[in-house]
Amino acid sequence: MATKLLPKELAKRPDRLSPGHRLCAGCGASIIVRQMLAAIDEPVVLSNATGCLEVATTIYPYTAWRVPWIHNAFENAASTISGVEAAYRSMVRQGKIPEQDVKFIAFGGDGGTYDIGLQALSGAVERGHQFLYVCYDNGAYMNTGIQRSSATPLGAHTTTSPAGKVIPGKQQFRKDLTAIMAAHGIPYVAQAAPSQWRDLMKKTRKAVNCGGPAFMNVLSSCNRGWRHGTDETVEITQLAVDTCYWPLYEVEEGVWRLTYKPREKLPVEEWLKRQGRFRHLFRPENRHLIDRLQEEVDRRWERLLRLCGEA
Amino acid sequence: MSKFEALAGNEAVATAMRQINPDVVAAYPITPQTSTVQTFANYVADGLVDTEFVTVESEHSAMSACVGASAAGARVMTATSANGLALMWEIVYIAASTRCPIVMGLVNRALSGPINIHCDHSDVMGMRDSGWIILFSENGQEAYDNLIQAVRIAEHPDVLLPVAVCQDGFITSHGMERVEIYEDADVRAFVGEYRPQWSLLDLEHPKTYGPLDFYDYYYEHKRQQVEAMQHAHRVIQEVAEAFNRTFDRDYGLFEPYRLEDAEVAVVVANSTAGTAKVVVDRLREEGLKVGLLKPRVFRPFPAEELAEALAHLKAVAVMDRSISFGAMGNAGPLFLELAAALALRGVRMPMADYVYGLGGRDILPREIESVYRDMLRVAETGQVERMVTYLSVR
């Protein structure tokens, strides 16, 4: 029997990521990792791309991981775990190690996933390795000091897309990585957020039990980069969901399904105005950027509703 | 009973891989290595090996998957050439520092640019400081034999370092030769079972691989790599002795050829050493005291033994199939390191470097002969006219 997804039951499970790591207070990544790993009763083996989660949890000679974990480099969390998984299958087949229901999971940020690691991820899922790749998407290269990535929202200030006198922040929309991964035709793809923890945990269970490669894109607030208080992480993440900037859905065997529909779809500026990285957008001369972002959010939401048969 | 087969170098390497039967192979095709992975893919498809063949989308992912599989406790192999090795670059270093005993068949090819698919040693020379053990092979037989030995060297508990086994692109990788193939059972017995000590898949004892390592420990870990290399120097010789006993061969750190009573010698690696032996024989018929030294182990560099083997000579030429641009005299890496090795051990003699064969340019016996005749003159006069000569360049 799988552990029931109830706080009382889940609290009994030992943390697989132990306290004492050096991630910032209010960091989305550690919340996501703890929630996801708590959803899995089976043994796990993890790989981790270079990034905040990696550097802050394994400062030699310490480690915060109570489960097998490997970091190789920035762009290759997917190819590394594919090697681990291939080794497991080979050695089980030869009777060298016992068969257990091991769940192989790779964690990477948006830099390591949308950008530098996209090729390795695409290759690993195409090859059909049985693993879950989790992108904790905080919308910039936060570990190196808040540089733009292809996940950064239009208009956001980052240190390589600064809100300057001529150019007001990032000029492009976010790449729709979740749809790109769905286009690979793998058994399970989902978008999730830690503010909807039960949804996140249910999706995690589906992902690791889908019998093939799975991908989850999970919105992860970085209060250093997003510019908000350390106690606002979950609330602001939920605003991304309720404005439909970050819809929650899954694509299971090619079937798209919305897993959360906001009672009232909020204007995107409700999410923007809570974050310092968008402050400049509220100047009158930059108002058109909020309008452009709203239009794009609406366009993508409508498309998603059509794909999910809700329109 | 062993048997003799007519095999191209790549097929000989693929045959060794079949006999070794690694748990995981992750590789990507690149000329002139491709026929290795193609041949091995047939073995996988026909069920002749237990290997999980990871058909990655790039060499970067090939080496990344190798590191993951090796950390997981698997016996792991790969193969590549030139630009493929260059794309692996970042992970080549990580493989060595993570102490992954991966074995790589490296088919030497000129590194771009301009793009060129033919033989030279610019690819392997780029990895000389990466922490890999590097072995050279004159022909398909040596590539086959070295690959089998490489497994035992890499996995030795005192070493735990990756090994690259080099052979010359097209010249030996595609050249059909007579290769003695040993019994499968004998090869498997020689390499033995791999017993990983720190497997990531030991779920009861979780390991953290690849942590962030700052100024308080990084340096000590690098120092440990040095110690592993020092051990490798011994282990390579022990494995060679065992191999020689088992398969009736004569491997060592290098191969001297008519060197003992020679006054002048050429040092040259891989296939050109074979051509040079013919030249030595011809010149010996004229009564000229010439010899050859063919390096086998390039990393760890056996400086002491090389200096000793060459100490009696009146002049030495090194033939380099690559250039270390901007280094002293724009010479080749083998010359530079050998010159330093001799000088620091007080072995003083005139030395010259002959760069040759870049991008697959043919090297002819008469050109090698011209090197010997140059050095015979140098031995008489004691004067080197040119420290570096670029043979047969227009």
Side-chain angles (χ1 to χ4, degrees), chain A residues 58 60-61 63 66 68-73 75-76 79 83-84 86-87 89-91 93-94 96 100 119-120 127, chain B residues 23 50 52 54-58 60-61 64-65 68-69 72 90-91 94 200 203 206-212 217 221:
Chain A
T58 63
Y60 190 89
T63 179
R66 291 176 176 149
W69 180 96
I70 181 168
H71 159 252
N72 188 343
E75 66 282 59
N76 63 359
S79 33
V84 177
R89 272 190 291 122
S90 174
M91 292 192 291
R93 199 178 55 231
Q94 297 176 70
K96 291 182 177 178
Q100 295 175 70
Q119 173 184 319
R127 292 193 297 275
Chain B
D23 300 308
D50 298 308
E52 196 62 42
V54 187
T55 51
V56 282
E57 84 300 331
S58 73
H60 193 282
S61 283
S64 301
E90 179 192 26
I91 317 304
I94 293 171
L200 195 65
L203 303 173
K207 314 280 185 303
T208 288
Y209 261 88
L212 182 65
Y217 285 99
H221 289 137

Side-chain angles (χ1 to χ4, degrees), chain B residues 44-70:
Chain B
V44 176
D46 291 339
L48 300 178
V49 287
D50 298 308
T51 310
E52 196 62 42
F53 181 33
V54 187
T55 51
V56 282
E57 84 300 331
S58 73
E59 286 91 351
H60 193 282
S61 283
M63 190 47 65
S64 301
C66 283
V67 167
S70 182

Side-chain angles (χ1 to χ4, degrees), chain B residues 103-299:
Chain B
V103 171
M104 174 201 290
L106 179 56
V107 184
N108 297 129
R109 157 183 155 177
L111 199 53
S112 301
I115 188 167
N116 175 301
I117 57 169
H118 293 282
C119 176
D120 72 32
H121 300 162
S122 47
D123 54 2
V124 60
M125 288 305 163
M127 78 187 299
R128 69 199 147 129
D129 295 340
S130 66
W132 282 59
I133 292 165
I134 299 171
L135 305 179
F136 285 125
S137 321
E138 181 186 321
N139 47 40
Q141 184 73 55
E142 291 191 4
Y144 171 79
D145 290 345
N146 278 335
L147 206 78
I148 295 166
Q149 292 177 65
V151 174
R152 251 174 81 163
I153 297 165
E155 293 171 2
H156 193 288
D158 294 345
V159 178
L160 289 177
L161 288 175
V163 182
V165 173
C166 298
Q167 64 167 318
D168 279 346
F170 287 112
I171 301 163
T172 59
S173 69
H174 288 62
M176 196 75 84
E177 282 184 289
R178 185 172 174 274
V179 180
E180 185 181 3
I181 300 297
Y182 315 120
E183 284 277 0
D184 290 0
D186 293 343
V187 172
R188 287 192 189 180
F190 184 81
V191 296
E193 281 282 311
Y194 175 43
R195 303 206 184 283
Q197 295 176 70
W198 300 284
S199 168
L200 195 65
L201 293 178
D202 179 358
L203 303 173
E204 302 304 312
H205 306 94
K207 314 280 185 303
T208 288
Y209 261 88
L212 182 65
D213 199 14
F214 277 143
Y215 31 71
D216 45 358
Y217 285 99
Y218 177 92
Y219 198 178
E220 281 68 31
H221 289 137
K222 291 288 133 185
R223 169 67 204 183
Q224 287 179 338
Q225 277 182 255
V226 170
E227 284 170 19
M229 268 293 173
Q230 288 166 340
H231 296 154
H233 179 73
R234 167 178 56 81
V235 169
I236 288 167
Q237 294 175 84
E238 288 169 2
V239 171
E241 279 165 30
F243 191 86
N244 296 341
R245 270 198 312 278
T246 311
F247 298 112
D248 193 23
R249 296 275 167 211
D250 191 21
Y251 287 99
L253 296 167
F254 47 81
E255 182 195 336
Y257 185 76
R258 305 186 84 161
L259 190 63
E260 211 167 286
D261 64 338
E263 293 178 353
V264 161
V266 165
V267 177
V268 64
N270 272 13
S271 66
T272 308
T275 318
K277 285 174 186 172
V278 175
V279 176
V280 167
D281 290 348
R282 198 182 291 164
L283 294 174
R284 281 277 179 172
E285 280 169 25
E286 288 181 31
L288 300 170
K289 291 195 162 182
V290 294
L292 172 83
L293 188 146
K294 180 184 81 181
R296 172 176 177 248
V297 181
F298 182 61
R299 285 287 177 272

Side-chain angles (χ1 to χ4, degrees), chain A residues 165-239:
Chain A
K165 287 180 181 142
V166 179
I167 305 171
K170 199 207 179 198
Q171 295 295 289
Q172 300 82 14
F173 294 108
R174 178 178 76 90
K175 185 196 279 179
D176 191 353
L177 180 65
T178 316
I180 292 169
M181 294 316 295
H184 282 71
I186 55 178
Y188 191 79
V189 169
Q191 202 161 274
S195 55
Q196 293 291 322
W197 63 270
R198 204 188 301 266
D199 178 74
L200 172 63
M201 293 177 96
K202 275 190 194 164
K203 284 172 176 167
T204 304
R205 282 199 174 162
K206 278 191 179 179
V208 297
N209 289 304
C210 74
F215 173 81
M216 285 177 64
N217 204 358
V218 188
L219 188 67
S220 178
S221 155
C222 165
N223 53 65
R224 301 290 306 137
W226 292 19
R227 296 280 158 196
H228 62 71
T230 55
D231 58 347
E232 297 176 294
T233 300
V234 174
E235 203 183 320
I236 287 174
T237 304
Q238 183 57 27
L239 280 170

